[in-house]
Amino acid sequence: MRRVILIILDSFGIGGAADAADFGDEGANTLATIARDCLARNSILAVPHMMALGLGQAAQAVTGHMPAGLPAREPVTGLWGAAREISRGKDTPSGHWEIAGLPVPFDWGYFPKTRPAFSPALTDAIIAAGNLAGILGNCHASGTEIIAQLGEEHIRSGKPVIYTSADSVIQIAAHETYFGLQRLYDLCTKIRILVDPLNIGRVIARPFIGENAANFERTGNRRDYAVPPPRPTLLNVVEAAGRKTYAVGKISDIFAGSGITHALKAHGNEALVDATLAAMDKAQDGDLIFTNLVDFDSLYGHRRDSAGYGAALEAFDRRLPELRAKMQQGDLLILTADHGCDPAWPGSDHTRECVPVLIAGAGAGTIGIRDSFADIGKSVAAYLGYENALAGQSFLGGGHHA
């Protein structure tokens, strides 16, 4: 039995990216910021199970020092390392595609940091396509903040809140009841077509509920309309071999459904871990479970909430023994990330960082600092024994599948 459970701790960077200065992120370090915040509150970042997999060693390898505020080093029982990103962006699709063996060598399209952010032609086309009275926002913004600012006007006017960020993205926030969830999805589908010529990576539906700014809340009915990967990824390799891919969380959206045999949705990290455990009950020999834990990024990184991020890491670490206990002989559990999102960094955008690569089920040792996230996908394919043309170099031995 060989299965792989690949879990993305969305935005859990550990600093040290050689090209961080090119992105204005020199010195950014998500882990170090969170650990330092714990220390300032006379505590430590209680993640003993990740430390036992080599988190501290990986962090030290990329920066030359152990972040202050981490617990004492545990005896390392896992295979540990770190990886650099070679894709040209620090966005979600680029990070995930590269992890799955497909680096992104081209530049996505982005919207300028002006107000308005969208051209009059695009704005007019959106209004016409959606039969709208107009739009609100039309700027770079944090999703929760702009809903608080414009949500009540949205309810009164019926105009959706449309905004962007430093990512290649256009986001549409609308009330599930007053605007309608299906109407929001239909609008996003139309906008997806409109922004294809601009090479925008994702159109994201951001539904919310509540009656006023004091109680507006985004729901779990988010949906990403992404550009499909231009070439096969790890998911396609597994599917082509006749095995199953369980995409937990927003993985199916990020890959536009390509190579996905089972899409499992859930809202919040705890529910996503539960869904991963449920997939482990179903997955068979040669299958891949690919999970994204989005709360680290969306609830804490972008909101620059160090304390909340730390608490979420500790909560996930407490679930690791459940995941380990459900592993069967031959299973691998891989923990990594797709970019950073340093809670102490100016603004609300992702940060260019190296990411940890922590592996349970492959013995103890180190894989060093990998030159590309793609080494992860290449290694998974090699471990499962699948012939492939993925980018990267494997750090794992091969399996037994044709």
Side-chain angles (χ1 to χ4, degrees):
M1 173 76 79
R2 286 196 175 205
R3 309 179 304 176
V4 175
I5 303 96
L6 174 58
I7 300 180
I8 309 301
L9 282 62
D10 200 311
S11 83
F12 187 40
I14 56 174
D19 59 355
D22 296 341
F23 296 82
D25 294 333
E26 189 172 18
N29 189 323
T30 300
L31 171 61
T33 288
I34 296 163
R36 185 171 62 247
D37 179 76
C38 287
L39 197 62
R41 291 182 283 109
N42 299 313
S43 181
I44 61 169
L45 182 63
V47 288
H49 301 107
M50 282 191 278
M51 290 294 288
L53 289 176
L55 175 61
Q57 282 79 359
Q60 185 168 12
V62 299
T63 64
H65 61 271
M66 180 75 70
L70 288 181
R73 292 197 193 192
E74 300 280 343
V76 176
T77 60
L79 187 63
W80 62 269
R84 304 183 179 99
E85 185 171 11
I86 60 173
S87 295
R88 294 172 65 109
K90 54 181 179 177
D91 52 276
T92 293
S94 294
H96 282 76
W97 290 8
E98 186 169 331
I99 288 167
L102 179 59
V104 179
F106 56 82
D107 288 318
W108 295 103
Y110 300 92
F111 294 107
K113 290 187 177 180
T114 57
R115 188 181 287 265
F118 312 129
S119 69
L122 177 59
T123 302
D124 290 345
I126 291 171
I127 291 170
N131 192 26
L132 305 170
I135 67 171
L136 303 174
N138 201 344
C139 60
H140 282 241
S142 163
T144 52
E145 291 176 2
I146 201 168
I147 290 171
Q149 293 168 4
L150 299 176
E152 292 179 13
E153 184 179 351
H154 158 69
I155 291 173
R156 290 193 302 269
S157 68
K159 299 175 183 178
V161 181
I162 305 183
Y163 60 101
T164 186
S165 70
D167 277 5
S168 179
V169 66
I170 184 166
Q171 307 201 54
I172 301 90
H175 198 282
E176 285 198 1
T177 302
Y178 295 108
F179 190 85
L181 186 60
Q182 189 57 52
R183 185 184 178 200
L184 172 59
Y185 291 160
D186 291 343
L187 176 61
C188 289
T189 300
K190 295 171 182 176
I191 294 176
R192 174 70 270 172
I193 296 170
L194 294 175
V195 299
D196 276 346
L198 304 177
N199 202 29
I200 300 300
R202 288 180 297 163
V203 175
I204 304 179
R206 289 287 196 177
F208 65 97
I209 57 175
E211 297 302 317
N212 53 58
N215 60 21
F216 286 145
E217 179 183 356
R218 295 198 297 199
T219 75
N221 291 319
R222 163 184 171 158
R223 186 173 293 177
D224 293 37
Y225 298 79
V227 173
R231 295 190 302 280
T233 70
L234 171 64
L235 291 158
N236 301 110
V237 169
V238 176
E239 182 189 36
R243 267 66 180 195
K244 296 175 182 177
T245 57
Y246 294 84
V248 181
K250 66 178 185 177
I251 294 295
S252 182
D253 290 345
I254 293 169
F255 289 87
S258 181
I260 310 297
T261 66
H262 294 73
L264 307 176
K265 297 291 188 178
H267 184 43
N269 279 0
E270 291 292 330
L272 289 164
V273 173
D274 289 341
T276 302
L277 290 165
M280 292 175 73
D281 286 332
K282 299 176 181 178
Q284 301 297 313
D285 187 31
D287 291 349
L288 170 68
I289 300 169
F290 196 173
T291 298
N292 174 281
L293 300 181
V294 68
D295 286 359
F296 298 117
D297 188 48
S298 63
L299 294 186
Y300 308 113
H302 285 299
R303 298 187 191 185
R304 298 309 192 236
D305 180 359
S306 295
Y309 205 135
L313 285 171
E314 292 175 342
F316 172 71
D317 195 80
R318 289 192 293 269
R319 303 294 304 271
L320 266 176
E322 293 177 66
L323 291 161
R324 297 287 299 272
K326 199 172 282 288
M327 291 172 63
Q328 300 178 17
Q329 184 67 33
D331 283 356
L332 288 188
L333 171 66
I334 303 176
L335 308 180
T336 189
D338 54 336
H339 49 69
C341 202
D342 187 335
W345 212 246
S348 61
D349 300 326
H350 297 155
T351 44
R352 184 76 161 190
E353 301 179 43
C354 291
V355 300
V357 184
L358 311 177
I359 307 169
T366 182
I367 60 171
I369 302 176
R370 313 303 299 188
D371 288 333
S372 169
F373 292 1
D375 288 3
I376 300 169
K378 189 74 169 182
S379 300
V380 171
Y383 183 76
L384 294 176
Y386 300 139
E387 294 293 332
N388 67 87
L390 300 175
Q393 299 293 321
S394 176
F395 49 76
L396 295 173
H400 61 283
H401 297 114

